[in-house]
Amino acid sequence: MIVLGIESTCDETAAALVEDGRHLLSNVISTSVKEQALYGGVVPEIASRRHCEFISATVKKALLDAGKTIDDVDAVAVTFAPGLIGAVLVGVNFAKGLAYSANKPLVPVHHLRGHIAALYITHPELKPPFLCLVASGGHSHIVEVQDYTHYHILGHTVDDAAGEAFDKVARTLGLPYPGGPSVANAAKTGDPKAYRLPVPHVEGKYNVSFSGLKTAVLNEVNQAQMKGTDINVPDLAASFQERIAGILAEKLLLAAADNGAKQVCLAGGVAANGRLRQLVNDGAQKLGAKVYLPELKYCGDNGAMIAAQGYYEFKDGNIADLTLNGLPTLSIDYR
């Protein structure tokens, strides 16, 4: 079964074809990230306009790269939630029109479920149940993946997402957008013990909080300015990365130990962070759990992850009609 996946929740317009939820046929991404970088972050209106400009050509190229036509496609899957609502609606409305005109089933896909499904492309042998940390610009969740369409949230951020914290800290340090790669790159030559940053304490055993950590970095910069001293950017970047990666890894591994998880996974944009990968890999080995990490190209938003999850949503009977609407927020464990 071939599924066309369409993704447009933020600043990537993406389309891909995936067969049987595991075999990649094509994967095309058109991004406005360079334009967004001019403003230090995503401007929703600009993102929506670029989606309108890119989406038709992106889908056409995905079909062309796969050597397929729309007639060869068995279903059209699209991210309908959560995300920047203007951006989400571009993808949803395009997918509805395409599915209707081609007489194909329309499959709604949750964005975070898609991030998890990216693991099925990288690791075709991976099957639920498993434990997954989904960390991105808008989300930080520790999720028990019970099967392909059923999830249980064990922990989550109570304020800011990990990816958003990376972006804000990068801006504070004068590093370019997107913040995750910029901070990681600066941290390569820094001392992770140079700055003593706090460990936020929150209610909920597996919950996390990053608002105070962002403020701590800002305070370090402000205090240096008031004293007329220079901030060592590599050192502060390394200290921040060490703290946030340590918090995420600790919570995920704690949940894995408590729940006896034998498969531990990372997904989402922050899953590309090398230090987080190392900490999770090292910790999981001590627990006797196997670690599954997505290829770096599948960490960010892409159409392949939506097509992959679309296959399993279709098999579970999750098919939408033309009343499908985009939603800015929706929990991954919705029914």
Side-chain angles (χ1 to χ4, degrees), residues 184-321:
N185 187 57
K188 290 178 181 178
T189 57
D191 178 5
K193 297 180 180 179
Y195 291 87
R196 297 186 62 183
L197 298 177
V199 179
H201 295 282
V202 295
E203 292 186 4
K205 193 173 185 181
Y206 311 122
N207 288 344
V208 294
S209 168
F210 300 122
S211 178
L213 192 55
K214 288 192 315 183
T215 301
V217 173
L218 180 61
N219 287 341
E220 290 285 352
V221 173
N222 288 339
Q223 288 173 15
Q225 290 176 345
M226 287 187 290
K227 294 176 182 177
T229 59
D230 292 329
I231 280 288
N232 187 310
V233 173
D235 282 355
L236 189 48
S239 299
F240 169 75
Q241 176 181 252
E242 188 69 18
R243 181 66 74 219
I244 194 170
I247 292 169
L248 289 170
E250 179 184 3
K251 294 290 187 175
L252 174 62
L253 294 170
L254 178 62
D258 289 349
N259 291 273
K262 295 304 179 184
Q263 299 184 117
V264 177
C265 307
L266 294 179
V270 180
N273 183 270
R275 183 56 178 154
L276 175 61
R277 285 174 170 244
Q278 181 183 9
L279 289 172
V280 170
N281 190 62
D282 292 347
Q285 285 186 1
K286 294 178 182 178
L287 294 176
K290 189 169 183 179
V291 177
Y292 293 90
L293 305 173
E295 283 187 63
L296 294 181
K297 64 182 179 181
Y298 297 128
C299 290
D301 295 347
N302 62 86
M305 69 186 200
I306 303 306
Q309 183 59 27
Y311 169 77
Y312 295 103
E313 298 290 345
F314 179 85
K315 288 187 66 176
D316 198 45
N318 187 8
I319 299 173
D321 57 26

Side-chain angles (χ1 to χ4, degrees), residues 39-277:
Y39 305 95
V42 178
V43 180
E45 175 66 15
I46 293 176
S48 300
R49 289 177 180 272
R50 297 302 170 261
H51 287 312
C52 291
E53 295 171 9
F54 297 157
I55 193 164
S56 181
T58 302
V59 171
K60 285 181 180 179
K61 192 172 190 311
L63 290 166
L64 183 64
D65 287 357
K68 305 293 183 181
T69 68
I70 191 62
D71 293 333
D72 299 313
V73 171
D74 296 297
V76 177
V78 63
T79 314
F80 78 106
L84 301 175
I85 190 58
V88 171
L89 287 172
V90 175
V92 167
N93 287 318
F94 184 90
K96 287 199 291 186
L98 180 60
Y100 178 76
S101 63
N103 195 28
K104 304 293 182 180
L106 177 66
V107 182
V109 175
H110 189 283
H111 185 70
L112 297 191
R113 294 186 180 189
H115 272 304
I116 293 172
L119 289 158
Y120 305 143
I121 300 174
T122 304
H123 304 282
E125 75 280 9
L126 176 63
K127 297 179 180 179
F130 56 83
L131 207 60
C132 188
L133 167 66
V134 189
S136 63
H139 310 277
S140 294
H141 290 72
I142 296 174
V143 180
E144 181 185 9
V145 182
Q146 299 169 331
D147 64 38
Y148 294 109
T149 58
H150 293 84
Y151 309 80
H152 176 58
I153 299 173
L154 297 179
H156 59 86
T157 179
V158 300
D159 42 51
D160 301 326
E164 193 263 354
F166 269 104
D167 287 340
K168 292 295 175 60
V169 166
R171 181 185 295 183
T172 299
L173 297 179
L175 300 173
Y177 174 86
S182 296
V183 171
N185 187 57
K188 290 178 181 178
T189 57
D191 178 5
K193 297 180 180 179
Y195 291 87
R196 297 186 62 183
L197 298 177
V199 179
H201 295 282
V202 295
E203 292 186 4
K205 193 173 185 181
Y206 311 122
N207 288 344
V208 294
S209 168
F210 300 122
S211 178
L213 192 55
K214 288 192 315 183
T215 301
V217 173
L218 180 61
N219 287 341
E220 290 285 352
V221 173
N222 288 339
Q223 288 173 15
Q225 290 176 345
M226 287 187 290
K227 294 176 182 177
T229 59
D230 292 329
I231 280 288
N232 187 310
V233 173
D235 282 355
L236 189 48
S239 299
F240 169 75
Q241 176 181 252
E242 188 69 18
R243 181 66 74 219
I244 194 170
I247 292 169
L248 289 170
E250 179 184 3
K251 294 290 187 175
L252 174 62
L253 294 170
L254 178 62
D258 289 349
N259 291 273
K262 295 304 179 184
Q263 299 184 117
V264 177
C265 307
L266 294 179
V270 180
N273 183 270
R275 183 56 178 154
L276 175 61
R277 285 174 170 244

